[in-house]
Structures are given as C-alpha cells and as structure tokens.
Amino acid sequence: MKTADAIDRAKAEGRRAFIGYLPACYPDLATSVEAAVQLAENGADIIEIGAPYSDPVMDGPVIQQATTEALGNGFRIAELFEVVRQVTERTEAAVVVMIYYNLIDRMGAEEFARSLAEAGGAGAITPDLIPDEAADWMAATEKYGLDRIFLAAPTSSPERLHRIAADSRGFVYGVSLMGVTGKRAAVSDAAERVVEGTKAAGAERVCVGLGVSTREHVEEIGRYADGVIVGSALVAALRDGGPEAVGTLTAELTGRSS
C-alpha cells in the first residue's frame, strides 16, 4: 500500500492517519518486527522503520540509545529490507523507511530503491536530504514507484515549501519544532503554521511529527494535519515493555483502548 492510500483511507473513515516509528533491529530483528506488527494491529496506518545510523542528527536520546544498541549488535542495511519485508507481509499498513541519505548514497540510490521496492516498502523519509540535492534519489524513486517524503520545517521559506510540495510523493513530513525528537509536554504552535504553509504551497497531504507522545497531542494535531507521527514514545515503550507495550500505547494513542 502507498502512503497516500493509507492516509486517504483513514480520512474516508473520519479520522487522521496514525504513523508510528520504530528502529529496525532494536533490540533485535525479530522483536522489532513483532513491535511493528503490534503497531499495525492497534491502529497504525503507516509504519516507519528507522535505519540505525551513527550520526542521527534529528534523533533525540531515546531513539539514539536504541539505534546505538542496534549498531552495537551488528546491524547491516540488508536487515532493514528484511524487517520491511516481514512487516509488509504480516500487516496491511504502508511501510516506509526513515533513513539518513548517506546510507542510501553509500549503497547507490538506484540499488537502494530497487531493494526497498522488492521488500514491499512504500517509500522513504530522508530527513537530511533537500529536493535541490536529490536528483539521483528522485530518479530512482520514479523508476521503482516509491514515495519520497521530504521535511518541511518552521524555518522553511515559501519558495522552499513550493519545492518540497512539488517534489514529495505520498506526503510531506511537517516538523513541529526545531530540534530533535523526543517526548514533550505540549506540541509547538509552529506545527499548524507548517501545515498551513505547506498546503498553501501545493502539498496534498501533510503529516506532523516531533514531540508527539499523548492522545491529547494526537487529537490536537489531527484538527489540522492529515496524519500524526509518533516515535520516541513508542521506542520507550518497546524498551520498557517489549512489543506488547507498543501495542498498548498505540491503542491509547489511536483511541482504540477508550
């Protein structure tokens, strides 16, 4: 399933899409797959599988700790595709990867895109890549029919937002604040402005992440965004309680447990 289809399906059901992030192979490959399955079974429409990376500039301490552990256990990029394959086979969610572009570039954009498509992946979020520098990636994603998801931030100019909106496929990832991922007491009021600006620039779908950790956050963002992205809170649940805790928290965040 493509991310646009997942978002539109949720909209047709009268709700906003729920997007959950988990790192590949944390604490190991099998457990990360089970946690992702719990995400889908408890209401996630789109699942982000993060590629552990040694210099995760956008990630806060919870995700950094998890990805550092996965790297210490010998994570290899081939395992990312295996996680995507297994999660895609076992769920109806759209599955994308969250990956820093250096890892794609090291493998080669076309080879990475081919491998991701063969694994059943819908596309990739590339937090450190801007459209101006994405010619190879854009060509590869077009060839293999993958979504390419760029980020829009509170500091993005109108001109930048137009470029992001034009070159993204699936949805635009709206960053709710400047900084790194992690739980916060409140969602930045910049999030709504990011969505409004990106929509005005031509984006059909904008989903918001960074700092989302409660049902109240989900409901607040759902008033203006097409989807809500949760990461650190889910990774902390996996760390503390395993896949079952991920399922329990997902059900709370999506309103399925109420």
Side-chain angles (χ1 to χ4, degrees):
M1 178 182 289
K2 295 299 183 186
T3 59
D5 296 331
I7 293 168
D8 292 348
R9 181 180 64 183
K11 185 177 181 180
E13 295 174 358
R15 57 184 179 83
R16 299 307 189 189
F18 183 86
I19 303 167
Y21 165 93
L22 291 169
C25 299
Y26 173 73
D28 54 60
L29 191 153
T31 306
S32 67
V33 170
E34 293 303 323
V37 170
Q38 284 291 317
L39 262 176
E41 291 183 348
N42 288 280
D45 302 283
I46 299 171
I47 297 172
E48 292 180 30
I49 301 297
Y53 185 50
S54 58
D55 187 24
V57 294
M58 184 178 161
D59 297 329
V62 171
I63 294 176
Q64 283 193 31
Q65 180 182 16
T67 56
T68 297
E69 184 174 326
L71 288 169
N73 291 337
F75 170 79
R76 295 292 179 266
I77 203 70
E79 294 174 308
L80 176 68
F81 302 124
E82 179 60 19
V83 171
V84 170
R85 184 186 67 78
Q86 291 191 32
V87 175
T88 300
E89 288 177 350
R90 293 181 57 187
T91 75
E92 295 182 358
V95 181
V96 298
V97 297
M98 167 77 88
I99 185 166
Y100 291 93
Y101 192 70
N102 184 51
L103 293 173
I104 296 175
D105 192 48
R106 193 181 303 168
M107 185 173 181
E110 180 161 342
E111 176 65 15
F112 185 93
R114 181 188 65 78
S115 298
L116 181 58
E118 288 179 351
I125 301 164
T126 48
D128 58 342
L129 182 67
I130 58 174
D132 316 56
E133 300 172 357
D136 289 348
W137 179 235
M138 289 172 66
T141 52
E142 287 293 328
K143 180 174 181 178
Y144 291 100
L146 295 171
D147 293 337
R148 51 179 180 267
I149 300 154
F150 295 111
L151 272 63
T155 54
S156 298
S157 67
E159 294 76 19
R160 170 72 64 195
L161 291 177
H162 278 283
R163 182 70 184 270
I164 291 167
D167 290 339
S168 293
R169 295 290 181 271
F171 67 93
V172 173
Y173 190 125
V175 178
S176 66
L177 45 82
M178 302 307 295
V180 298
T181 59
K183 287 186 179 182
R184 289 173 173 82
V187 176
S188 167
D189 60 3
E192 189 168 2
R193 295 197 302 273
V194 170
V195 173
E196 290 174 351
T198 310
K199 292 264 191 174
E204 289 187 46
R205 303 168 191 86
V206 183
C207 302
V208 169
L210 267 71
V212 183
S213 60
T214 69
R215 176 63 186 166
E216 289 71 25
H217 292 165
V218 172
E219 291 175 342
E220 176 187 343
I221 291 171
R223 289 199 292 269
Y224 53 81
D226 299 288
V228 184
I229 303 166
V230 179
S232 294
L234 292 166
V235 178
L238 176 58
R239 176 196 65 203
D240 298 338
E244 185 174 311
V246 172
T248 299
L249 177 58
T250 305
E252 293 172 2
L253 293 171
T254 59
R256 289 200 172 190
S257 63
S258 59

